Amino acid sequence: LPPSIFCIASATLLIAPTWLRGIVALPLSKVMPPISRLRTLSRRRADGLSASMVEMGRTLSATQWLAGLEGVQRWSRSVAQWFADGFDLLVLPVLPEPPVPLGELTVEGQGGEPFNLVMRVSGLTVFTFPFNFTGQPAISLPLHWTADGLPVGVQIVAPYGREDVLLRVAAQLEQAQPWADRRPPVSA
């Protein structure tokens, strides 16, 4: 997307926590049980990130939730328009930084603070999560490797309904730069 659109979206996430809470809570409305049953969800039955998102969602009013939904719809329209203006693909990093160490993306890894975990994950998924909302097909390809042998993903996004273009480009990239035999070192 044009830098101005991406900067506006990123700034919105940083300066509008109500909008962010609405965005974070939206996917839960699609996969979680009805609100009457949601109140019984305990941390024992959910991973740290999901439990944190449920807690954030519980703080939303209907107006705040609708504002988050409106933000998602506005973003979706702007992305669709960008592709309609003649662009075939959008190339982005998968993460804004190298892969994080194992254990960092847990409540414990974030000092025991669930909100810190939500914010950390939100910061790491800034390039990928928007397309979960807009419906554009996207693929992550390991096209670079760090000095430590960790894969660095490149995300390619296609217009809605153009999975064929996305898969053809991905296949060509894999042929030009094979990665199937590459394995990162494992540690735990």
Side-chain angles (χ1 to χ4, degrees), residues 17-72:
T18 298
W19 189 79
L20 174 61
R21 286 199 314 264
I23 296 301
V24 167
L26 284 174
L28 293 176
S29 67
K30 296 179 181 177
V31 297
M32 297 300 284
I35 193 70
S36 60
R37 291 178 47 216
L38 185 61
R39 291 188 179 123
T40 64
L41 182 69
S42 70
R43 286 198 182 274
R44 290 188 311 266
R45 294 178 54 206
D47 65 80
L49 181 61
S50 296
S52 299
M53 289 171 45
V54 167
E55 291 304 316
M56 289 175 71
R58 286 179 176 160
T59 68
L60 290 177
S61 68
T63 302
Q64 291 169 322
W65 188 86
L66 287 171
L69 180 60
E70 183 179 289
V72 168

Side-chain angles (χ1 to χ4, degrees), residues 22-131:
I23 296 301
V24 167
L26 284 174
L28 293 176
S29 67
K30 296 179 181 177
V31 297
M32 297 300 284
I35 193 70
S36 60
R37 291 178 47 216
L38 185 61
R39 291 188 179 123
T40 64
L41 182 69
S42 70
R43 286 198 182 274
R44 290 188 311 266
R45 294 178 54 206
D47 65 80
L49 181 61
S50 296
S52 299
M53 289 171 45
V54 167
E55 291 304 316
M56 289 175 71
R58 286 179 176 160
T59 68
L60 290 177
S61 68
T63 302
Q64 291 169 322
W65 188 86
L66 287 171
L69 180 60
E70 183 179 289
V72 168
Q73 292 169 340
R74 226 180 2 259
W75 171 260
S76 296
R77 287 190 299 273
S78 70
V79 171
Q81 184 60 55
W82 186 83
F83 281 110
D85 288 343
F87 295 96
D88 296 315
L89 295 170
L90 173 62
V91 179
L92 299 162
V94 171
L95 297 173
E97 62 186 71
V100 299
L102 291 175
E104 183 177 320
L105 300 180
T106 63
V107 173
E108 296 76 23
Q110 294 298 310
E113 294 293 329
F115 183 75
N116 291 350
L117 176 61
V118 171
M119 295 310 293
R120 180 72 172 120
V121 170
S122 296
L124 287 172
T125 61
V126 69
F127 296 117
T128 56
F129 89 86
F131 305 104

